[in-house]
């Protein structure tokens, strides 16, 4: 399956909040849908689920109009929506039946997912008696109870300790391996990097960056280098490098002891290496800079914010 979101516009009253959203995601892959709070991610997700209707644009599945009612969709919202005073198993069966399962099948699926997420012991407990982390795992089990073809996860790791985070990471990896179509939204960029082959960054209602994460990283890092000096760090190192190499590079960032350098137009890594060999700098490490997704996100959203200002 291939889901494509094409030129989606959405207004509330006279205010347009989505200005032509475009991205795609395929079965067996995960898309990282990213953006600052208020960027338009949740509105986009609600349009996907037919909670809101777009003013214009279209959503297709394998080239045909996407009708959400024809698919099982599992949605884990950032704001949790289970019933605190009902038992875990009862509400999971209830939700499974709402999604078209027979009660027996819903109960079997619920028990299977509770076991997989290591919360079987709480199935007869009221949700409000569980810790925040276990409530989060129950919420995920409820999201998956009807074996959805499309899984949308909004901040799924919220409130989880490292052990429970690992369980959830394993489950997400299994969903992708099983051929589910996964849309993953999180401010925790390390998780997005771990799971998502493609990303779409939304800022102020527009997609400002979209595509294959590996290629985006490669493109972002191609004109940047990293340098560590043995005898100094931080601002002192930056001053020394600027004094020696200002015609070749500019110090773009300082990450602990590492200087991130941007190549001047027309200059190459070889030019910098040759100059370093002659300069009075004690080089400890020199190489290509590989940006993190967090670096790219901050740079891209920051650039767009400056343009809009």
């Amino acid at each position: 399956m291939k889901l494509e979101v094409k030129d989606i516009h959405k207004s509330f009253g006279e205010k347009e909040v989505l200005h032509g959203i475009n991205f795609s995601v395929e079965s067996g892959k995960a898309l990282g849908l990213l953006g600052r709070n208020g960027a338009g991610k949740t509105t986009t997700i609600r349009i996907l689920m037919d909670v809101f209707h777009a003013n214009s644009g279209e959503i297709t599945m394998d080239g045909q109009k996407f009708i959400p009612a024809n698919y099982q969709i599992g949605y884990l919202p950032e704001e949790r929506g289970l019933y605190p005073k009902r038992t875990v198993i009862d509400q999971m069966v209830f939700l499974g039946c709402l999604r078209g399962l027979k009660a027996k099948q819903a109960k079997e699926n619920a028990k299977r997912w509770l076991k997989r997420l290591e919360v079987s012991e709480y199935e007869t407990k009221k949700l409000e008696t569980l810790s925040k982390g276990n409530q989060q795992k129950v919420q995920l089990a409820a999201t998956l109870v009807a074996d959805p073809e499309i899984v949308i996860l909004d901040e799924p790791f919220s409130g989880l300790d490292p052990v429970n985070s690992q369980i959830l990471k394993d489950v997400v990896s299994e969903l992708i391996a099983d051929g589910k179509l996964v849309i993953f939204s999180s401010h925790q960029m390390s998780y997005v990097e771990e799971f998502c082959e493609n990303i779409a960054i939304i800022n102020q209602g527009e997609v400002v960056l979209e595509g294959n994460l590996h290629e985006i990283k490669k493109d972002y890092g191609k004109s940047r280098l990293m340098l560590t000096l043995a005898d100094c760090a931080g601002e002192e190192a930056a001053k020394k490098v600027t004094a020696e190499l200002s015609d070749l590079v500019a110090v773009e960032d300082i990450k602990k002891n590492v200087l991130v350098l941007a190549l001047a137009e027309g200059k190459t890594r070889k030019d910098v290496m040759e100059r370093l060999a002659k300069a009075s700098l004690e080089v400890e490490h020199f190489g290509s800079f590989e940006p993190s997704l967090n670096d790219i996100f901050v740079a891209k959203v920051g650039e767009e914010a400056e343009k809009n200002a």
Side-chain angles (χ1 to χ4, degrees):
M1 297 189 302
K2 183 176 182 179
L3 180 74
E4 294 181 271
V5 175
K6 303 177 181 179
D7 198 30
I8 292 295
H9 290 254
K10 175 62 180 174
S11 297
F12 294 102
E14 295 183 356
K15 182 178 181 181
E16 187 176 74
V17 296
L18 299 182
H19 314 300
I21 298 295
N22 294 278
F23 61 80
S24 63
V25 55
E26 299 180 40
S27 299
K29 297 181 181 180
L31 171 78
L33 187 63
L34 311 176
R36 299 172 67 182
N37 294 330
K41 303 188 302 299
T42 300
T43 300
T44 301
I45 289 170
R46 288 175 178 170
I47 291 172
L48 270 173
M49 297 182 65
D50 207 26
V51 176
F52 294 157
H53 297 293
N55 294 92
S56 63
E58 64 175 347
I59 302 174
T60 63
M61 180 68 83
D62 296 331
Q64 304 298 315
K65 182 179 179 181
F66 175 62
I67 302 173
N70 293 345
Y71 298 86
Q72 281 286 2
I73 302 175
Y75 175 42
L76 177 69
E78 183 176 6
E79 298 297 329
R80 309 311 173 208
L82 297 183
Y83 304 102
K85 295 189 181 297
R86 292 192 62 176
T87 65
V88 168
I89 192 69
D90 282 352
Q91 60 185 307
M92 286 192 64
V93 172
F94 171 68
L95 291 169
C97 291
L98 281 181
R99 295 170 188 164
L101 301 182
K102 299 294 186 182
K104 181 181 178 182
Q105 186 64 61
K107 191 168 187 178
E108 289 176 359
N109 288 7
K111 285 180 173 287
R112 174 166 56 86
W113 277 112
L114 291 173
K115 182 178 179 180
R116 176 66 187 87
L117 290 162
E118 300 184 8
V119 283
S120 291
E121 63 188 285
Y122 304 114
E123 69 175 53
T124 60
K125 304 290 186 182
K126 292 182 178 180
L127 187 71
E128 65 184 359
T129 67
L130 276 58
S131 68
K132 184 177 179 180
N134 284 328
Q135 287 187 29
Q136 177 72 344
K137 291 199 289 182
V138 170
Q139 180 90 29
L140 179 62
T143 299
L144 302 174
V145 69
D147 191 27
E149 303 153 276
I150 301 168
V151 181
I152 302 172
L153 305 174
D154 194 353
E155 297 295 350
F157 292 92
S158 177
L160 298 183
D161 61 37
V163 173
N164 283 326
S165 291
Q166 185 59 53
I167 294 170
L168 184 51
K169 285 197 288 185
D170 292 342
V171 168
V172 174
S173 296
E174 289 164 13
L175 292 171
I176 295 168
D178 287 345
K180 307 297 185 185
L181 191 155
V182 178
I183 297 176
F184 185 89
S185 180
S186 178
H187 291 115
Q188 296 170 285
M189 299 296 169
S190 60
Y191 291 128
V192 178
E193 288 191 272
E194 188 165 349
F195 300 122
C196 298
E197 186 170 324
N198 299 299
I199 63 166
I201 297 177
I202 299 177
N203 192 52
Q204 297 187 0
E206 299 181 31
V207 174
V208 295
L209 185 65
E210 189 264 339
N212 179 272
L213 180 55
H214 174 74
E215 293 300 321
I216 289 171
K217 281 188 168 188
K218 184 178 177 182
D219 184 65
Y220 185 86
K222 68 183 179 182
S223 61
R224 291 171 174 83
L225 303 168
M226 56 188 300
L227 175 66
T228 305
L229 300 184
D231 59 338
C232 62
E235 293 293 340
E236 184 182 354
K239 289 178 181 178
K240 283 191 174 185
V241 169
T242 300
E244 295 275 0
L245 307 173
S246 61
D247 58 322
L248 299 178
V249 297
V251 177
E252 185 174 86
D253 197 5
I254 302 173
K255 296 180 178 294
K256 295 183 178 179
N257 295 333
V258 179
L259 302 180
V260 179
L261 310 177
L263 281 168
E265 187 174 353
K267 303 302 180 183
T268 67
R269 174 175 169 165
K270 183 180 179 182
D271 295 331
V272 179
M273 290 177 65
E274 290 176 349
R275 181 72 62 81
L276 285 172
K278 301 174 183 177
S280 59
L281 299 173
E282 292 188 44
V283 177
E284 183 174 272
H285 178 79
F286 173 73
S288 299
F289 174 64
E290 181 174 330
S292 67
L293 178 54
N294 191 71
D295 293 326
I296 295 168
F297 179 84
V298 170
K300 193 62 184 177
V301 170
E303 288 172 5
E304 294 301 319
E306 287 180 6
K307 287 179 185 176
N308 290 327

